[in-house]
Amino acid sequence: MPETHRCRSCGSTHSLPVIDLGLQPLANNLLRPEDLGKPEPRFPLAVFVCGECWLMQITDTVPPVDLFSDYIYFSSFSDAMLRHAHAAVEEHIAEKKLGKDSFVIEIASNDGYLLKNFVEAGVPCLGFEPAANIAQVARQNGVETHCEFFGRATAASLREQKGQADLILGNNVFAHAPDTNDFVAGASELLKPDGWVVFEFPYGIEMIDKVEFDTIYHEHVFYFTLTPLIPLFARHDLDVFHVEHLPIHGGSLRLFACHRGAETIRASVTTALEEEAARGVSSTGYYHQFSQRAEKVKADLIAFLAEQKTAGKRVAAYGASAKGSTLLNYVGDAAASLEFIADRSTYKQGRLSPGLHVPVVPAEELAARAPDYALLLVWNFVEEVLAQQQCYRDAGGKFAVPLPVLRLA
Ligand code: ZN
């Protein structure tokens, strides 16, 4: 008998296993060399799907304080994300005709990389960012930032102080909030009668299709398809009225919601729901092949690393990302032979990767040390990294892209 789990959205205990990635350390917890002697906690990392509402979610969560207190992912380090944020803000300002009398809220506003575009356009805005060190950077960037987790209580208190918002944005945070009903209730509470909620998150359909099991880590509680989101939003008096597909993060969904009846439901929603139904999102069969395909990726990587070792070739990696941590720890001991992980973030350099303790070095070191292969752990930025590392490639270095099937670039 598989273990049963309670759905965090609808409360059903009709749970079905999707994938088990074993005991894993926290994916963003890069160690300082002096921490090496200390215990490094590991937690079960597995996903189940609710057999009632078909919401994919992890079995075990880790307290958010452990996850976010010294969170070292600074959005501003990715050129692609900066461009994406700038373009999204321009679209929102035009669509909602935002100006000096409007109010925009972003949940998990990070270092202010997105909201600073609203500040520059003269649109009043405010961010919620739970990591104190990152909230401080945002304030230095001129972005008003509340250092709090977002939910019904914080939303009600902000509503008292500042009123409701025309636009509530949440990029890559919706899937992180374990109490998803509280999170959506907070958005509903803070939204003006004609306001829009716009959430972006990695699309669960893409994860399954492209075998992106490495996007699973403890911070990502949910892996959303659209099907389970309709009842979740409806429970809090919100309609999902539009969705857009985005290429970012290996394939994301941008969801638009409003108060019930405030907007006409667009064809994008009905089409996406029909497509999900046709794929079998509401049936067990859809989830069965996913873990087997992930096992194949793991076996291929272990074989690749063993083959290079035998041939006397040197292998390093690029991108000390959270998804890299999931992938490497799932692969296990074979990945401990990686020479180093090159990364552009000065906050990660000099640290060690979670679990396997591979040293993280500056990105320039890849060309300087010139290993034969670099395993690309940030395949979502493949074009950007290949362009930045042209010198390494010109000198004969090759990237190994692990997903969905191992290939050299
Ligand atoms: Zn459910």
Side-chain angles (χ1 to χ4, degrees):
M1 267 299 281
E3 224 182 321
T4 59
H5 301 278
R6 183 176 296 278
C7 174
R8 294 173 179 88
S9 176
C10 76
S12 165
T13 52
H14 180 196
S15 61
L16 306 158
V18 176
I19 190 169
D20 187 348
L21 297 164
L23 285 173
Q24 293 237 3
L26 296 179
N28 274 306
N29 192 26
L30 284 91
L31 306 179
R32 296 178 183 87
E34 60 268 30
D35 294 335
L36 264 183
K38 296 180 188 164
E40 189 180 12
R42 287 177 177 260
F43 305 90
L45 186 60
V47 172
F48 73 93
V49 65
C50 171
E52 281 299 316
C53 74
W54 302 99
L55 177 55
M56 282 187 280
Q57 49 204 293
I58 61 171
T59 55
D60 297 77
T61 53
V62 173
V65 174
D66 284 356
L67 291 171
F68 295 103
S69 55
D70 183 26
Y71 194 48
I72 55 174
Y73 178 60
F74 279 65
S75 303
S76 292
F77 287 109
S78 156
D79 298 342
M81 281 193 70
L82 292 180
R83 284 195 301 274
H84 177 72
H86 185 76
V89 167
E90 290 198 329
E91 275 178 47
H92 293 318
I93 288 177
E95 274 180 323
K96 288 295 287 170
K97 301 185 173 52
L98 302 173
K100 64 180 172 44
D101 299 322
S102 311
F103 185 34
V104 175
I105 290 168
E106 190 190 9
I107 308 166
S109 46
N110 212 290
D111 59 4
Y113 76 101
L114 184 142
L115 286 180
K116 74 175 195 302
N117 294 291
F118 283 109
V119 173
E120 282 161 14
V123 178
C125 59
L126 181 147
F128 280 87
E129 172 51 53
N133 59 332
I134 298 181
Q136 188 54 33
V137 175
R139 292 187 196 109
Q140 284 160 7
N141 289 340
V143 176
E144 185 179 353
T145 304
H146 280 209
C147 185
E148 285 180 302
F149 284 101
F150 182 82
R152 194 195 305 250
T154 44
S157 140
L158 186 66
R159 181 180 175 168
E160 287 281 304
Q161 294 168 42
K162 300 237 175 194
Q164 290 173 309
D166 297 272
L167 187 63
I168 299 177
L169 302 173
N171 291 336
N172 297 302
V173 60
F174 185 31
H176 296 223
D179 191 347
T180 197
N181 282 300
D182 187 65
F183 191 89
V184 177
S188 184
E189 169 89 27
L190 256 182
L191 193 67
K192 279 185 186 171
D194 64 345
W196 288 0
V197 172
V198 183
F199 288 163
E200 281 181 32
F201 44 85
Y203 191 25
I205 297 287
E206 301 271 1
M207 177 180 83
I208 300 265
D209 272 4
K210 299 180 188 163
V211 209
E212 293 166 353
F213 63 88
D214 59 344
T215 60
I216 299 169
Y217 43 97
H218 295 101
E219 287 167 31
H220 290 168
V221 181
F222 299 105
Y223 303 85
F224 292 125
T225 59
L226 184 57
T227 302
L229 295 180
I230 306 298
L232 171 58
F233 279 75
R235 207 175 290 135
H236 304 286
D237 205 33
L238 296 170
D239 281 342
V240 175
F241 70 91
H242 180 49
V243 291
E244 292 172 354
H245 298 270
L246 307 170
I248 201 157
H249 291 302
S252 289
L253 203 66
R254 181 186 279 165
L255 170 154
F256 294 72
C258 60
H259 284 293
R260 187 171 295 156
E263 301 278 347
T264 306
I265 311 288
R266 300 187 194 170
S268 59
V269 175
T270 39
T271 304
L273 288 173
E274 282 165 13
E275 281 174 9
E276 289 190 0
R279 282 168 185 274
V281 161
S282 305
S283 67
T284 53
Y286 179 68
Y287 304 91
H288 278 166
Q289 295 306 310
F290 179 57
S291 67
Q292 283 157 343
R293 292 163 73 206
E295 287 283 352
K296 168 90 167 82
V297 169
K298 175 180 176 172
D300 287 353
L301 257 177
I302 290 172
F304 172 78
L305 291 168
E307 191 183 318
Q308 302 317 324
K309 197 171 183 177
T310 307
K313 302 285 188 188
R314 295 164 53 221
V315 187
Y318 188 94
S321 58
K323 58 169 64 67
S325 176
T326 294
L327 180 75
L328 297 183
N329 284 293
Y330 180 55
V331 167
D333 290 343
S337 65
L338 292 169
E339 249 182 68
F340 59 84
I341 304 174
D343 197 286
R344 285 174 82 194
S345 166
T346 50
Y347 291 85
K348 295 178 179 177
Q349 294 160 10
R351 299 199 185 209
L352 303 158
S353 75
L356 296 170
H357 305 157
V358 180
V360 181
V361 304
E364 307 79 65
E365 291 288 302
L366 186 61
R369 299 198 198 180
D372 298 288
Y373 296 98
L375 180 62
L376 185 66
L377 302 176
V378 283
W379 44 258
N380 47 328
F381 296 120
V382 56
E383 299 307 328
E384 189 172 335
V385 174
L386 291 185
Q388 283 163 4
Q389 293 293 336
Q390 194 58 47
C391 282
Y392 167 66
R393 299 169 71 213
D394 287 345
K398 285 193 170 62
F399 278 94
V401 185
L403 300 180
V405 175
L406 186 68
R407 69 179 172 97
L408 297 177

mmCIF file with all atom_site columns, all heavy atoms in Angstrom, residues 7 9-12 50 52-55 57, ligand 1:
data_model
loop_
_atom_site.group_PDB
_atom_site.id
_atom_site.type_symbol
_atom_site.label_atom_id
_atom_site.label_alt_id
_atom_site.label_comp_id
_atom_site.label_asym_id
_atom_site.label_entity_id
_atom_site.label_seq_id
_atom_site.pdbx_PDB_ins_code
_atom_site.Cartn_x
_atom_site.Cartn_y
_atom_site.Cartn_z
_atom_site.occupancy
_atom_site.B_iso_or_equiv
_atom_site.pdbx_formal_charge
_atom_site.auth_seq_id
_atom_site.auth_comp_id
_atom_site.auth_asym_id
_atom_site.auth_atom_id
_atom_site.pdbx_PDB_model_num
ATOM   1  N  N   . CYS A 1 7  ? -4.256  16.258 0.049   1.00 0.00 ? 7  CYS A N   1
ATOM   2  C  CA  . CYS A 1 7  ? -4.105  17.331 -0.938  1.00 0.00 ? 7  CYS A CA  1
ATOM   3  C  C   . CYS A 1 7  ? -4.176  18.684 -0.229  1.00 0.00 ? 7  CYS A C   1
ATOM   4  O  O   . CYS A 1 7  ? -5.090  18.947 0.535   1.00 0.00 ? 7  CYS A O   1
ATOM   5  C  CB  . CYS A 1 7  ? -5.206  17.241 -1.989  1.00 0.00 ? 7  CYS A CB  1
ATOM   6  S  SG  . CYS A 1 7  ? -5.184  18.624 -3.146  1.00 0.00 ? 7  CYS A SG  1
ATOM   7  N  N   . SER A 1 9  ? -4.788  21.466 -1.560  1.00 0.00 ? 9  SER A N   1
ATOM   8  C  CA  . SER A 1 9  ? -5.832  22.327 -2.114  1.00 0.00 ? 9  SER A CA  1
ATOM   9  C  C   . SER A 1 9  ? -7.228  21.847 -1.713  1.00 0.00 ? 9  SER A C   1
ATOM   10 O  O   . SER A 1 9  ? -7.940  22.530 -0.992  1.00 0.00 ? 9  SER A O   1
ATOM   11 C  CB  . SER A 1 9  ? -5.719  22.391 -3.641  1.00 0.00 ? 9  SER A CB  1
ATOM   12 O  OG  . SER A 1 9  ? -6.781  23.141 -4.192  1.00 0.00 ? 9  SER A OG  1
ATOM   13 N  N   . CYS A 1 10 ? -7.620  20.630 -2.130  1.00 0.00 ? 10 CYS A N   1
ATOM   14 C  CA  . CYS A 1 10 ? -9.006  20.203 -1.921  1.00 0.00 ? 10 CYS A CA  1
ATOM   15 C  C   . CYS A 1 10 ? -9.192  19.354 -0.672  1.00 0.00 ? 10 CYS A C   1
ATOM   16 O  O   . CYS A 1 10 ? -10.319 19.081 -0.267  1.00 0.00 ? 10 CYS A O   1
ATOM   17 C  CB  . CYS A 1 10 ? -9.524  19.460 -3.158  1.00 0.00 ? 10 CYS A CB  1
ATOM   18 S  SG  . CYS A 1 10 ? -8.919  17.775 -3.317  1.00 0.00 ? 10 CYS A SG  1
ATOM   19 N  N   . GLY A 1 11 ? -8.094  18.898 -0.046  1.00 0.00 ? 11 GLY A N   1
ATOM   20 C  CA  . GLY A 1 11 ? -8.198  18.138 1.200   1.00 0.00 ? 11 GLY A CA  1
ATOM   21 C  C   . GLY A 1 11 ? -8.394  16.644 1.024   1.00 0.00 ? 11 GLY A C   1
ATOM   22 O  O   . GLY A 1 11 ? -8.431  15.903 2.010   1.00 0.00 ? 11 GLY A O   1
ATOM   23 N  N   . SER A 1 12 ? -8.497  16.174 -0.214  1.00 0.00 ? 12 SER A N   1
ATOM   24 C  CA  . SER A 1 12 ? -8.691  14.737 -0.438  1.00 0.00 ? 12 SER A CA  1
ATOM   25 C  C   . SER A 1 12 ? -7.450  13.936 -0.019  1.00 0.00 ? 12 SER A C   1
ATOM   26 O  O   . SER A 1 12 ? -6.328  14.430 -0.128  1.00 0.00 ? 12 SER A O   1
ATOM   27 C  CB  . SER A 1 12 ? -8.975  14.491 -1.929  1.00 0.00 ? 12 SER A CB  1
ATOM   28 O  OG  . SER A 1 12 ? -8.831  13.122 -2.227  1.00 0.00 ? 12 SER A OG  1
ATOM   29 N  N   . CYS A 1 50 ? -2.971  14.448 -6.557  1.00 0.00 ? 50 CYS A N   1
ATOM   30 C  CA  . CYS A 1 50 ? -4.268  14.251 -5.913  1.00 0.00 ? 50 CYS A CA  1
ATOM   31 C  C   . CYS A 1 50 ? -5.224  13.597 -6.912  1.00 0.00 ? 50 CYS A C   1
ATOM   32 O  O   . CYS A 1 50 ? -5.389  14.097 -8.025  1.00 0.00 ? 50 CYS A O   1
ATOM   33 C  CB  . CYS A 1 50 ? -4.829  15.600 -5.459  1.00 0.00 ? 50 CYS A CB  1
ATOM   34 S  SG  . CYS A 1 50 ? -6.539  15.509 -4.897  1.00 0.00 ? 50 CYS A SG  1
ATOM   35 N  N   . GLU A 1 52 ? -8.346  13.504 -6.774  1.00 0.00 ? 52 GLU A N   1
ATOM   36 C  CA  . GLU A 1 52 ? -9.629  14.226 -6.861  1.00 0.00 ? 52 GLU A CA  1
ATOM   37 C  C   . GLU A 1 52 ? -9.503  15.444 -7.766  1.00 0.00 ? 52 GLU A C   1
ATOM   38 O  O   . GLU A 1 52 ? -10.267 15.599 -8.711  1.00 0.00 ? 52 GLU A O   1
ATOM   39 C  CB  . GLU A 1 52 ? -10.058 14.697 -5.458  1.00 0.00 ? 52 GLU A CB  1
ATOM   40 C  CG  . GLU A 1 52 ? -10.675 13.631 -4.584  1.00 0.00 ? 52 GLU A CG  1
ATOM   41 C  CD  . GLU A 1 52 ? -11.943 13.040 -5.167  1.00 0.00 ? 52 GLU A CD  1
ATOM   42 O  OE1 . GLU A 1 52 ? -12.790 13.801 -5.677  1.00 0.00 ? 52 GLU A OE1 1
ATOM   43 O  OE2 . GLU A 1 52 ? -12.070 11.795 -5.119  1.00 0.00 ? 52 GLU A OE2 1
ATOM   44 N  N   . CYS A 1 53 ? -8.545  16.352 -7.429  1.00 0.00 ? 53 CYS A N   1
ATOM   45 C  CA  . CYS A 1 53 ? -8.440  17.598 -8.214  1.00 0.00 ? 53 CYS A CA  1
ATOM   46 C  C   . CYS A 1 53 ? -7.242  17.579 -9.166  1.00 0.00 ? 53 CYS A C   1
ATOM   47 O  O   . CYS A 1 53 ? -7.069  18.487 -9.949  1.00 0.00 ? 53 CYS A O   1
ATOM   48 C  CB  . CYS A 1 53 ? -8.387  18.816 -7.286  1.00 0.00 ? 53 CYS A CB  1
ATOM   49 S  SG  . CYS A 1 53 ? -6.815  19.038 -6.420  1.00 0.00 ? 53 CYS A SG  1
ATOM   50 N  N   . TRP A 1 54 ? -6.359  16.547 -9.100  1.00 0.00 ? 54 TRP A N   1
ATOM   51 C  CA  . TRP A 1 54 ? -5.218  16.344 -9.989  1.00 0.00 ? 54 TRP A CA  1
ATOM   52 C  C   . TRP A 1 54 ? -4.147  17.414 -9.840  1.00 0.00 ? 54 TRP A C   1
ATOM   53 O  O   . TRP A 1 54 ? -3.509  17.816 -10.793 1.00 0.00 ? 54 TRP A O   1
ATOM   54 C  CB  . TRP A 1 54 ? -5.677  16.176 -11.447 1.00 0.00 ? 54 TRP A CB  1
ATOM   55 C  CG  . TRP A 1 54 ? -6.619  15.018 -11.530 1.00 0.00 ? 54 TRP A CG  1
ATOM   56 C  CD1 . TRP A 1 54 ? -7.973  15.078 -11.562 1.00 0.00 ? 54 TRP A CD1 1
ATOM   57 C  CD2 . TRP A 1 54 ? -6.268  13.622 -11.493 1.00 0.00 ? 54 TRP A CD2 1
ATOM   58 N  NE1 . TRP A 1 54 ? -8.509  13.796 -11.557 1.00 0.00 ? 54 TRP A NE1 1
ATOM   59 C  CE2 . TRP A 1 54 ? -7.481  12.886 -11.513 1.00 0.00 ? 54 TRP A CE2 1
ATOM   60 C  CE3 . TRP A 1 54 ? -5.061  12.918 -11.447 1.00 0.00 ? 54 TRP A CE3 1
ATOM   61 C  CZ2 . TRP A 1 54 ? -7.503  11.497 -11.489 1.00 0.00 ? 54 TRP A CZ2 1
ATOM   62 C  CZ3 . TRP A 1 54 ? -5.092  11.532 -11.426 1.00 0.00 ? 54 TRP A CZ3 1
ATOM   63 C  CH2 . TRP A 1 54 ? -6.311  10.838 -11.451 1.00 0.00 ? 54 TRP A CH2 1
ATOM   64 N  N   . LEU A 1 55 ? -3.933  17.829 -8.608  1.00 0.00 ? 55 LEU A N   1
ATOM   65 C  CA  . LEU A 1 55 ? -2.849  18.763 -8.308  1.00 0.00 ? 55 LEU A CA  1
ATOM   66 C  C   . LEU A 1 55 ? -1.606  17.962 -7.908  1.00 0.00 ? 55 LEU A C   1
ATOM   67 O  O   . LEU A 1 55 ? -1.645  17.186 -6.948  1.00 0.00 ? 55 LEU A O   1
ATOM   68 C  CB  . LEU A 1 55 ? -3.282  19.700 -7.179  1.00 0.00 ? 55 LEU A CB  1
ATOM   69 C  CG  . LEU A 1 55 ? -2.269  20.721 -6.668  1.00 0.00 ? 55 LEU A CG  1
ATOM   70 C  CD1 . LEU A 1 55 ? -1.742  21.593 -7.800  1.00 0.00 ? 55 LEU A CD1 1
ATOM   71 C  CD2 . LEU A 1 55 ? -2.911  21.616 -5.610  1.00 0.00 ? 55 LEU A CD2 1
ATOM   72 N  N   . GLN A 1 57 ? 1.988   17.640 -6.189  1.00 0.00 ? 57 GLN A N   1
ATOM   73 C  CA  . GLN A 1 57 ? 2.590   18.329 -5.042  1.00 0.00 ? 57 GLN A CA  1
ATOM   74 C  C   . GLN A 1 57 ? 3.599   17.420 -4.361  1.00 0.00 ? 57 GLN A C   1
ATOM   75 O  O   . GLN A 1 57 ? 3.532   16.202 -4.503  1.00 0.00 ? 57 GLN A O   1
ATOM   76 C  CB  . GLN A 1 57 ? 1.504   18.762 -4.062  1.00 0.00 ? 57 GLN A CB  1
ATOM   77 C  CG  . GLN A 1 57 ? 0.514   17.663 -3.698  1.00 0.00 ? 57 GLN A CG  1
ATOM   78 C  CD  . GLN A 1 57 ? -0.836  18.219 -3.213  1.00 0.00 ? 57 GLN A CD  1
ATOM   79 O  OE1 . GLN A 1 57 ? -0.893  18.830 -2.158  1.00 0.00 ? 57 GLN A OE1 1
ATOM   80 N  NE2 . GLN A 1 57 ? -1.897  17.984 -3.969  1.00 0.00 ? 57 GLN A NE2 1
HETATM 81 ZN ZN  . ZN  B 2 .  ? -6.901  17.796 -4.485  1.00 0.00 ? 1  ZN  B ZN  1
#
